[in-house]
Amino acid sequence: MAEVATFLVGVRQALTVKVRIEAWSQRSGQAPSPGQLEASLRSQCCLESKQWRPVNSRVTEDLIRRNAEHNDCVIFSLEELSLHQQEIERLEHIDKWCRDLKILYLQNNLIGKIENVSKLKKLEYLNLALNNIEKIENLEGCEVLTKLDLTVNFIGELSSVKSLTHNIHLKELFLMGNPCADFDGYRQFVVATLQQLKWLDGKEIDRSERIQALQNYSVIEQQIRDQEKAYHLRRAQEKEEALRKLAEHCENEGKKRRSSPGFDGLPYPDTHATPPSTLESKGHVQVPEIQEAHDTKRLNESEDDLEFWNKPSVFTPESRLETLRHMEKQRKEQEKLSEKKKGVKPPRTLITESGKALNVNEPKLDFFLKDDEKHNQIILDLAVYRYMDTSLIEVDVQPMYVRVMVKGKPFQLVLPAEVKPDSSSAKRSQTTGHLVISMPKVEEVITGSRRTPKSVKTTSDGSREQTHTSKQIEKLEVDPSKHSFPDVTSIVQEKKHMSRRPETAPSEEASDFEDNPEVPPLI
């Protein structure tokens, strides 16, 4: 059985069925039965190995509370409980903790025996489909049991339905998918034995059918007994075959462990300690070897998995347990592999060894960088999540870059100009939730938006002089005799009083000037 095989994992020398039989025979003087041999193997394995742990094979208070949310997690007044697909192997504690239960779902588990439910006096519906039950028993105390579902179990002892004669309120029974359902005269035997039944395997029981079954009951009962004996013999052979496969499996596992280096977890006697520096210097040589070993191991495991699923198997309680253990083993190996692949992420490089800051956007946020020349500052608009708490944001402004930590993920941006970290400010928008960081520049002087007032003075010759109230800018002195500049103010005044074209006298410098009246004046 795979259930017993899991107990033997880690045992250095695997036990064999032959050795256990000889030990039992010497002690008791007779050969053990398959059940006694299985119990002996289990007890021996429990003493020698502590590595096997069921996934969730026990009914615990925490398990019941987690499935009692509809009753505010109160279990003493619970009337309906669903514990399906929990890999439960034994029924316990339910009759003590949940005595008011009316409906109990336990389908698709690994329950091998009906027990610890006789105190549920109010139980009306019990679902034990898809389990490993081989006999109907211990239901006499469920006085108001109306419906019992035992679909797809391993019930081969059909005569055990007689224990349900005390459940006078039982109206529906499901036994389809069990070995006993293939017996000749199965339906007639159940109908004649349980006269309170109204439905069997979803089919209504007619009055004529019950009368006919009662008339042939003695003959059908003898047929059922003969078929039960044949089934018990076949079942015993299946158990012996399961124990034989178990022994082979354990022996193969022991050989594999002995052939693998350091299978017992202890260092070799001739292994010498290697200094860490030597290991580091040879790291580039050892990594490929380790990777190759992992690849080989993975290939062997995939081959074993393929062989397991392609191997023909009889549908028995042992095969169900073996399948479950194999799937659990594969799941744990996948988890270990994913953990190794995931590992610990190396910290992201934000600043290189040379001191150069890098642009990083690990939170993958949209942003907008604006160079506000009017106010001589740089503005960063970062699209932070709208409903995220501000306490999860950290801002660090440096002269040449800005860094924002959003839920531990860095956002870093190199700035186009040097800024003043002490004068920078950060605030969040109340509508969009965006983070706006204002960073004043260092190079230029911050000026206001208002213009500098000017005062204009008018001189006696009609010209105006503009006097700036701001600081005067020093200029180089230039000789005005060498360069002549037009008087803009004179031109504007002359234009206002001009009614006709003024007559210009030829200058002394242009002696060859001729005034031609046919040439139009320049405008």
Side-chain angles (χ1 to χ4, degrees), residues 46-325:
C46 288
L47 293 174
E48 295 187 0
S49 175
K50 300 296 182 182
Q51 296 187 7
W52 181 83
R53 292 291 182 275
V55 181
N56 191 12
S57 62
R58 300 179 65 90
V59 178
T60 62
E61 183 179 352
D62 180 64
L63 177 64
I64 296 178
R65 289 191 185 278
R66 282 190 281 110
N67 290 274
E69 295 180 352
H70 58 283
N71 198 41
D72 296 331
C73 296
V74 179
I75 63 175
F76 74 91
S77 62
L78 201 60
E79 295 185 355
E80 182 177 345
L81 179 61
S82 179
L83 297 177
H84 62 283
Q85 296 181 354
Q86 297 292 336
E87 299 178 2
I88 299 172
E89 296 183 6
R90 184 184 177 187
L91 282 176
E92 52 187 352
H93 306 309
I94 296 179
D95 58 339
K96 298 178 182 178
W97 298 340
C98 311
R99 294 204 172 186
D100 293 339
L101 274 181
K102 294 183 179 180
I103 300 175
L104 179 57
Y105 296 98
L106 292 167
Q107 66 269 26
N108 202 0
N109 283 292
L110 301 171
I111 301 170
K113 184 180 179 181
I114 303 175
E115 57 184 344
N116 297 323
V117 292
S118 59
K119 294 182 181 180
L120 300 176
K121 303 299 182 180
K122 300 181 181 180
L123 187 63
E124 299 176 1
Y125 175 34
L126 176 60
N127 192 330
L128 285 167
L130 291 167
N131 278 282
N132 293 348
I133 297 171
E134 299 189 48
K135 184 180 179 181
I136 303 174
E137 56 186 343
N138 301 325
L139 290 173
E140 297 84 356
C142 301
E143 299 174 355
V144 295
L145 185 64
T146 305
K147 183 177 180 180
L148 177 61
D149 192 347
L150 294 169
T151 306
V152 190
N153 275 275
F154 298 92
I155 300 174
E157 190 176 341
L158 185 57
S159 59
S160 62
V161 298
K162 293 181 180 180
S163 63
L164 297 175
T165 56
H166 301 283
N167 303 97
I168 59 177
H169 298 284
L170 184 63
K171 302 301 180 184
E172 294 183 61
L173 177 63
F174 292 87
L175 289 173
M176 62 179 68
N178 286 275
C180 65
D182 298 331
F183 291 176
D184 293 335
Y186 146 75
R187 185 174 177 86
Q188 292 86 343
F189 178 81
V190 176
V191 170
T193 304
L194 304 176
Q195 298 186 22
Q196 73 271 29
L197 276 186
K198 300 296 182 183
W199 297 79
L200 177 60
D201 294 335
K203 184 179 179 181
E204 188 176 4
I205 302 173
D206 298 332
R207 182 179 178 184
S208 59
E209 183 182 4
R210 176 167 280 114
I211 294 174
Q212 186 178 1
L214 289 171
Q215 292 175 351
N216 302 327
Y217 181 72
S218 58
V219 179
I220 296 173
E221 185 179 13
Q222 186 61 38
Q223 293 179 356
I224 294 298
R225 288 179 180 177
D226 295 339
Q227 294 178 82
E228 281 182 352
K229 291 180 181 179
Y231 173 77
H232 286 319
L233 291 175
R234 186 170 66 254
R235 187 75 184 94
Q237 293 176 359
E238 291 175 355
K239 289 184 178 181
E240 290 178 359
E241 182 67 17
L243 291 174
R244 184 186 62 80
K245 291 182 179 180
L246 166 63
E248 293 179 356
H249 174 75
C250 296
E251 187 176 356
N252 294 333
E253 288 291 329
K255 288 181 180 179
K256 288 181 180 180
R257 290 178 178 276
R258 287 191 292 271
S259 61
S260 61
F263 74 95
D264 54 355
L266 299 175
Y268 291 114
D270 56 346
T271 303
H272 301 284
T274 307
S277 58
T278 308
L279 293 176
E280 292 177 0
S281 62
K282 296 182 180 179
H284 63 284
V285 179
Q286 292 180 354
V287 169
E289 296 177 356
I290 296 174
Q291 184 66 28
E292 184 178 356
H294 283 302
D295 294 341
T296 306
K297 182 180 179 182
R298 192 181 306 169
L299 180 62
N300 295 335
E301 290 176 354
S302 62
E303 292 178 355
D304 294 341
D305 184 60
L306 187 62
E307 181 183 357
F308 175 83
W309 291 112
N310 291 335
K311 180 177 63 176
S313 176
V314 183
F315 184 63
T316 61
E318 293 79 14
S319 64
R320 280 197 72 197
L321 290 169
E322 184 182 5
T323 303
L324 176 68
R325 302 300 181 224

Side-chain angles (χ1 to χ4, degrees), residues 220-489:
I220 296 173
E221 185 179 13
Q222 186 61 38
Q223 293 179 356
I224 294 298
R225 288 179 180 177
D226 295 339
Q227 294 178 82
E228 281 182 352
K229 291 180 181 179
Y231 173 77
H232 286 319
L233 291 175
R234 186 170 66 254
R235 187 75 184 94
Q237 293 176 359
E238 291 175 355
K239 289 184 178 181
E240 290 178 359
E241 182 67 17
L243 291 174
R244 184 186 62 80
K245 291 182 179 180
L246 166 63
E248 293 179 356
H249 174 75
C250 296
E251 187 176 356
N252 294 333
E253 288 291 329
K255 288 181 180 179
K256 288 181 180 180
R257 290 178 178 276
R258 287 191 292 271
S259 61
S260 61
F263 74 95
D264 54 355
L266 299 175
Y268 291 114
D270 56 346
T271 303
H272 301 284
T274 307
S277 58
T278 308
L279 293 176
E280 292 177 0
S281 62
K282 296 182 180 179
H284 63 284
V285 179
Q286 292 180 354
V287 169
E289 296 177 356
I290 296 174
Q291 184 66 28
E292 184 178 356
H294 283 302
D295 294 341
T296 306
K297 182 180 179 182
R298 192 181 306 169
L299 180 62
N300 295 335
E301 290 176 354
S302 62
E303 292 178 355
D304 294 341
D305 184 60
L306 187 62
E307 181 183 357
F308 175 83
W309 291 112
N310 291 335
K311 180 177 63 176
S313 176
V314 183
F315 184 63
T316 61
E318 293 79 14
S319 64
R320 280 197 72 197
L321 290 169
E322 184 182 5
T323 303
L324 176 68
R325 302 300 181 224
H326 181 78
M327 293 174 63
E328 180 64 19
K329 181 181 177 182
Q330 294 294 325
R331 185 183 66 81
K332 290 182 178 180
E333 290 177 354
Q334 290 293 335
E335 288 179 356
K336 290 180 180 179
L337 185 62
S338 61
E339 288 178 0
K340 289 181 179 179
K341 286 184 177 180
K342 187 177 180 181
V344 180
K345 291 184 178 180
R348 184 179 291 274
T349 303
L350 301 177
I351 299 177
T352 61
E353 296 179 356
S354 60
K356 180 182 178 182
L358 303 177
N359 291 330
V360 178
N361 189 3
E362 189 170 334
K364 298 180 181 179
L365 301 174
D366 296 334
F367 66 94
F368 177 74
L369 188 65
K370 177 183 178 181
D371 190 354
D372 188 1
E373 296 181 354
K374 185 177 181 180
H375 298 84
N376 193 30
Q377 62 181 354
I378 298 176
I379 300 175
L380 173 63
D381 187 346
L382 188 61
V384 181
Y385 310 114
R386 181 175 181 178
Y387 297 105
M388 191 176 68
D389 192 356
T390 310
S391 62
L392 301 175
I393 304 174
E394 298 179 4
V395 181
D396 181 17
V397 180
Q398 297 295 330
M400 294 305 300
Y401 66 90
V402 57
R403 181 185 302 166
V404 181
M405 301 295 293
V406 181
K407 296 180 66 174
K409 296 182 179 181
F411 172 88
Q412 183 170 289
L413 186 65
V414 179
L415 302 175
E418 186 177 357
V419 298
K420 296 180 179 180
D422 298 338
S423 304
S424 302
S425 62
K427 60 181 179 180
R428 290 191 69 180
S429 173
Q430 296 182 355
T431 55
T432 62
H434 287 199
L435 179 66
V436 181
I437 305 175
S438 303
M439 298 165 284
K441 294 182 182 179
V442 174
E443 295 179 356
E444 301 179 3
V445 181
I446 302 177
T447 58
S449 58
R450 296 181 180 179
R451 294 182 178 179
T452 305
K454 301 177 182 179
S455 59
V456 181
K457 295 182 180 180
T458 306
T459 58
S460 58
D461 57 351
S463 63
R464 293 182 179 180
E465 294 182 359
Q466 296 180 357
T467 306
H468 295 274
T469 58
S470 61
K471 184 178 179 180
Q472 296 181 356
I473 301 175
E474 297 182 357
K475 298 181 180 180
L476 297 177
E477 295 182 359
V478 181
D479 187 3
S481 60
K482 296 182 178 180
H483 300 276
S484 60
F485 299 94
D487 189 356
V488 180
T489 57

